[in-house]
Amino acid sequence: MDTSQPLVVTLPARPTRGEVALLCAELGAAPPGDVVCEVGALAQADLSAVDALARLSLAAGRRGHRIRFHGAGPELRALLRLTGLDETLGLRPD
């Protein structure tokens, strides 16, 4: 992997636990670096989406990655603020 380019992972519209586990394994196998997680395809801003983001964030942190989430819509941003995870997940305005 070219360390100057971030690793990009994309959450599907309705990520299953298995899909999230595969993305976490991908993060675990990659050398530490920057990661961009595209979340714009998420169909619903619900607690399963929050769970997926939290799992990815934990997996990235364990491996020494710097992860940022890109493409979060207003509903997901509001839900993350409501749960108090917006700052924990490093969600920044797009």
Side-chain angles (χ1 to χ4, degrees):
M1 176 172 114
D2 178 2
T3 56
S4 64
Q5 294 295 319
L7 171 65
V8 177
V9 294
T10 302
L11 276 176
R14 289 182 169 75
T16 64
R17 282 191 171 264
E19 290 168 326
V20 173
L22 287 174
L23 290 173
C24 289
E26 183 179 343
L27 292 176
D34 292 326
V35 176
V36 175
C37 181
E38 294 287 344
V39 298
L42 284 171
Q44 289 184 314
D46 56 17
L47 291 179
S48 65
V50 171
D51 179 65
L53 297 182
R55 288 178 182 275
L56 287 168
S57 180
L58 286 171
R62 286 185 188 124
R63 182 64 174 137
H65 295 294
R66 292 167 303 279
I67 192 167
R68 60 189 165 100
F69 297 95
H70 182 265
E75 290 177 353
L76 181 57
R77 288 177 176 282
L79 184 57
L80 290 170
R81 276 192 303 277
L82 180 67
T83 60
L85 291 174
D86 56 330
E87 289 183 22
T88 301
L89 295 177
L91 195 66
R92 308 251 192 288
D94 286 336

